[in-house]
Amino acid sequence: MDDLDNRKILSAVVHGSLFLSSTILSIGIPIVILLISEDYIVKENAKESINFHINLYIYFLICVVLTFFVIGIPLLIILGLASFIMPIIALVNVINNTETPYRYPFIFRLV
C-alpha cells in the first residue's frame, strides 16, 4: 500500500470515528492517529476531528442548558443532525481530495 492509500484510510478512520459512539473511544482514535502518524495531512485531519468532537460536547452542554428555556430542544435536534451529516461530508471529502485536510465549518479550533 502506498502513502496515498494510507492517507485515505487514516483520514477516513479519523473522521469516521465519530460514528462509534459518544464515548472516549470515539475521540481516542483521532488522538492515537495524531500521535503515531507522520503524514501532515493525516495529522491535520486528526486535529480537525478532535476539534469537532470537543465542539460537539460544548454545543451539547449549551443545548442542555437552553432546554430549560425550550429553545434548546430544536437546537439539540439540529446538533444531532449535524453530528451525523458533517462527518459523512468529511469522509467523502477526504477520500476524494487527499491533498488538503478537511475543515469543519462553525467550530472553534482548540487543538
Side-chain angles (χ1 to χ4, degrees), residues 27 48-62 79 105-111:
I27 198 169
E48 194 69 12
S49 178
I50 293 167
N51 284 326
F52 187 66
H53 279 85
I54 292 170
N55 276 265
L56 282 180
Y57 295 138
I58 292 170
Y59 292 153
F60 177 75
L61 290 175
I62 291 170
L79 183 64
F106 308 117
I107 68 167
F108 302 105
R109 279 145 186 101
L110 305 171
V111 177

Side-chain angles (χ1 to χ4, degrees), residues 21-111:
S21 68
S22 61
T23 62
I24 300 300
L25 179 66
S26 68
I27 198 169
I29 291 172
I31 291 172
V32 169
I33 291 177
L34 175 66
L35 296 175
I36 65 170
S37 178
E38 296 178 6
D39 187 354
Y40 171 77
I41 301 295
V42 173
K43 283 184 175 272
E44 289 300 310
N45 278 320
K47 287 179 188 177
E48 194 69 12
S49 178
I50 293 167
N51 284 326
F52 187 66
H53 279 85
I54 292 170
N55 276 265
L56 282 180
Y57 295 138
I58 292 170
Y59 292 153
F60 177 75
L61 290 175
I62 291 170
C63 288
V64 167
V65 170
L66 289 176
T67 55
F68 295 114
F69 303 107
V70 183
I71 193 170
I73 295 169
L75 291 176
L76 278 172
I77 294 169
I78 293 170
L79 183 64
L81 288 173
S83 68
F84 182 74
I85 294 170
M86 294 306 293
I88 292 173
I89 294 171
L91 283 169
V92 170
N93 192 335
V94 297
I95 290 172
N96 292 330
N97 186 7
T98 58
E99 298 302 317
T100 58
Y102 181 74
R103 305 287 284 189
Y104 286 101
F106 308 117
I107 68 167
F108 302 105
R109 279 145 186 101
L110 305 171
V111 177

